[in-house]
Amino acid sequence: MSRWKHSLDRLSHDERGDVPGWVLITLMTAGLVIVIWAIAGPALSGVFQQAIDRVTGF
């Protein structure tokens, strides 16, 4: 019985996952989105405003 308990204990520790890796990936993705938004935001806003102006006729 102790052999099974040891195997189950070992499996429960192996199933934790790579939490720091997922945190790093999430933070890097958020950083990339912020940088891309900062660079492309004004240009996209201008394109959107031009499209609205053409549709409304102003």
Side-chain angles (χ1 to χ4, degrees), residues 4-39:
W4 289 104
K5 185 177 182 328
H6 177 69
S7 294
L8 287 175
D9 286 342
R10 194 176 72 195
L11 279 175
S12 68
H13 291 297
D14 290 343
E15 293 295 322
R16 284 188 312 156
D18 187 14
V19 174
W22 284 109
V23 170
L24 182 63
I25 289 171
T26 303
L27 290 176
M28 289 177 65
T29 302
L32 283 172
V33 168
I34 290 170
V35 168
I36 291 170
W37 195 285
I39 293 170

Side-chain angles (χ1 to χ4, degrees), residues 39-58:
I39 293 170
L44 290 174
S45 179
V47 169
F48 179 75
Q49 190 60 46
Q50 286 177 358
I52 294 297
D53 290 344
R54 284 184 185 174
V55 170
T56 58
F58 291 118

